[in-house]
Amino acid sequence: MGKYLMVGAGLSGAVIGRHLAEAGHDVTVVDSRAHIGGNCYTERDADTGVLVHVYGPHIFHTDDAEVWDYVNAYETFLPYKNRVKATTGGAVYSLPVNLHTINQFFGRTMRPDEARDFIVDEQADTSITDPQTFEEQAMRFVGKDLYEAFFKGYTMKQWGCHPSELPASILKRLPVRFNYDDNYFFHQFQGMPENGYTTMIQAILDHANITVHLNTVFDRSQAEDYDHVFYSGPLDGYFDFELGRLGYRTLDFERFTCEGDYQGCAVMNYGEVDVPYTRITEHKHFAPWEDHEGSICYREFSRAAGPDDIPYYPIRQVAEKALLGDYVALAEEADGVSFVGRLGTYRYLDMDVTIREALDTARSFLSHVQDGTRAPAFFVAPL
Ligand code: FAD
Ligand code: UDP
């Protein structure tokens, strides 16, 4: 039987580790943090009883039935729809941009087809046929007025650059709807783990063949004791940043508490650039089936990550992609290690995609073990 090391006790390390453990292998999981769960970590606040999404709001949504069955096998998921609101120009609107947003914003009472025609004929810049940048995508699909109210300022705060420097793909994550559906996501399966993500990941790691060591920073000398390492830490960190640092945005959460209901919803976005935070999260609204007098909120600020900050969002502009290519080349030379997850592959990954890739990685790895062939550095190409 093999002896395998998972660097990182987040979803990637837990899911791959569990799969290998069930196949009879010996699995060690290390994490530099004092807790499991990675960025999905949730914890119950001792004073208020509120379940807090410590590294920012996490809503589970997927079309992948196997992944949905997987998470439900380890934790009860209760129905939850993310209904985000946005404050801009002195009013509150519904997001993603939908018929209510459009009618309220323009002071109209349009029906779906009228609104569609209005956006196409009077708002959208239809001269843009193949939008490349975030700004072009917004101008093409909602037009200048909605772009400036909801997207321009928010995106400048979130990414620290002008939307014309960002790829269209970032905005493509959000739909524009010509009906009153205000569900932020469009996936078939959506929900929230009843007792939080930490409980779920704890259950995934709970196997006789898995040992977890917290407060343990990986260094490459530890790899000698194992047949293979699955590394879900930052790709550049594995190589001691020898080629330079891959750029990330980090988040600062300014926590505040209050009695009762602070904002009446889980997530309120702030579209204007002169409001310094991007959004306020009120955690108890992620568990509407619970009842708490007190409330815990996070004001969320985004900035460039320094060497000691937690890396949150990979930037992936032209310069970062070039450096990523150099690290990928280094990684492909390294023996006995595969790079996985959001940091190991330097991509923004939702939880469902992380689990899908972890399952595929573990299965593919086992077939390499069976065939006696070399496991690749990347089971999913990061470029
Ligand atoms: P991580 O969770 O980052 O885990 C990596 C672990 O490795 C960490 O615990 C870290 O401490 C550890 N580690 C790193 N380096 C070392 C080292 N050298 N030695 C030891 N340990 C190390 N997804 C959704 O589906 N829905 C959402 O609503 C959603 N919201 C999000 C909001 C924010 C603000 C962010 C940043 C992400 C969000 N995500 C969401 C994405 C989700 O967080 C990721 O899909 C998930 O965390 C990826 O898991 P991972 O195991 O790959 O990485
Ligand atoms: N965005 C925006 N205004 C909003 C919400 C999102 O401009 O009110 C932009 C922003 O650039 C963000 C992108 O749309 O990075 C994708 O939004 P999403 O909610 O998916 O962001 P994430 O989950 O990455 O925080």
Side-chain angles (χ1 to χ4, degrees):
M1 283 298 113
K3 242 183 115 189
Y4 301 121
L5 178 67
M6 308 293 128
V7 178
L11 273 178
S12 298
V15 173
I16 298 171
R18 176 72 186 220
H19 201 87
L20 301 186
E22 284 186 353
H25 300 289
D26 213 31
V27 173
T28 301
V29 182
V30 295
D31 203 298
S32 49
R33 292 177 177 171
H35 59 72
I36 62 161
N39 275 10
C40 304
Y41 177 68
T42 46
E43 97 189 345
R44 213 168 268 288
D45 175 63
D47 292 334
T48 57
V50 171
L51 190 64
V52 178
H53 293 213
V54 174
Y55 299 95
H58 279 69
I59 297 101
F60 201 92
H61 52 97
T62 190
D63 280 333
D64 189 325
E66 190 193 1
V67 167
W68 182 242
D69 288 345
Y70 187 90
V71 295
N72 278 276
Y74 291 104
E75 170 63 11
T76 303
F77 273 70
L78 296 177
Y80 182 86
K81 298 268 186 288
N82 198 28
R83 301 191 195 283
V84 176
K85 304 291 171 222
T87 297
T88 187
V92 177
Y93 300 92
S94 140
L95 281 185
V97 170
N98 62 67
L99 191 50
H100 203 172
T101 325
I102 295 168
N103 272 332
Q104 191 189 351
F105 187 83
F106 293 104
R108 306 279 288 266
T109 56
M110 292 177 280
R111 290 183 292 105
D113 286 348
E114 292 169 333
R116 196 176 276 111
D117 291 347
F118 168 75
I119 293 290
V120 171
D121 298 342
E122 296 181 41
Q123 293 293 316
D125 182 347
T126 47
S127 70
I128 302 167
T129 49
D130 182 18
Q132 296 297 315
T133 68
F134 184 110
E135 184 169 64
E136 286 172 358
Q137 177 77 10
M139 295 295 279
R140 171 69 184 81
F141 288 99
V142 295
K144 186 167 178 284
D145 294 345
L146 292 168
Y147 162 59
E148 290 188 344
F150 293 100
F151 300 118
K152 189 176 176 185
Y154 186 102
T155 296
M156 285 167 75
K157 292 186 283 187
Q158 172 78 359
W159 293 100
C161 63
H162 195 275
S164 59
E165 296 169 57
L166 292 167
S169 58
I170 295 180
L171 185 57
K172 285 183 188 159
R173 286 169 59 87
L174 299 185
V176 177
R177 298 206 185 99
F178 294 98
N179 58 32
Y180 288 98
D181 180 0
D182 62 350
N183 185 351
Y184 203 69
F185 302 116
F186 43 80
H187 290 117
Q188 189 183 354
F189 309 108
Q190 306 185 26
M192 208 46 107
E194 185 173 15
N195 301 298
Y197 294 99
T198 309
T199 309
M200 176 182 89
I201 295 172
Q202 181 64 60
I204 298 173
L205 289 168
D206 183 14
H207 189 282
N209 292 351
I210 300 180
T211 312
V212 179
H213 298 290
L214 299 176
N215 300 305
T216 305
V217 180
F218 169 76
D219 76 69
R220 274 189 269 167
S221 66
Q222 294 163 12
E224 291 162 15
D225 299 334
Y226 298 92
D227 297 316
H228 198 83
V229 176
F230 292 85
Y231 180 86
S232 71
L235 174 60
D236 50 358
Y238 182 88
F239 297 102
D240 301 322
F241 309 100
E242 66 178 76
L243 305 177
R245 282 181 182 269
L246 288 166
Y248 278 95
R249 300 293 287 174
T250 192
L251 299 176
D252 296 317
F253 298 109
E254 189 180 279
R255 185 183 192 274
F256 62 97
T257 55
C258 65
E259 287 301 300
D261 194 351
Y262 178 74
Q263 62 182 16
C265 63
V267 182
M268 176 68 77
N269 288 359
Y270 288 83
E272 286 152 329
V273 79
D274 47 357
V275 175
Y277 40 89
T278 50
R279 57 185 175 180
I280 297 180
T281 297
E282 186 168 13
H283 293 262
K284 70 179 178 184
H285 292 302
F286 288 126
W289 46 89
E290 294 184 4
D291 197 14
H292 303 287
E293 282 299 309
S295 196
I296 297 182
C297 301
Y298 276 10
R299 271 188 205 97
E300 189 171 321
F301 300 81
S302 172
R303 62 179 169 82
D308 297 324
D309 294 317
I310 298 174
Y312 279 92
Y313 293 97
I315 293 174
R316 289 183 76 97
Q317 284 177 259
V318 176
E320 286 82 9
K321 278 200 173 170
L323 184 57
L324 174 62
D326 295 340
Y327 274 116
V328 167
L330 261 191
E332 279 168 348
E333 299 287 299
D335 267 329
V337 56
S338 298
F339 297 86
V340 296
R342 159 188 103 74
L343 301 168
T345 62
Y346 191 63
R347 288 172 307 145
Y348 184 91
L349 296 181
D350 276 325
M351 291 181 279
D352 62 324
V353 180
T354 304
I355 295 171
R356 159 58 49 210
E357 292 189 357
L359 288 170
D360 291 349
T361 293
R363 286 175 183 144
S364 174
F365 176 75
L366 288 177
S367 65
H368 281 278
V369 171
Q370 203 166 22
D371 302 347
T373 49
R374 181 182 186 270
F378 295 98
F379 284 89
V380 182
L383 280 166

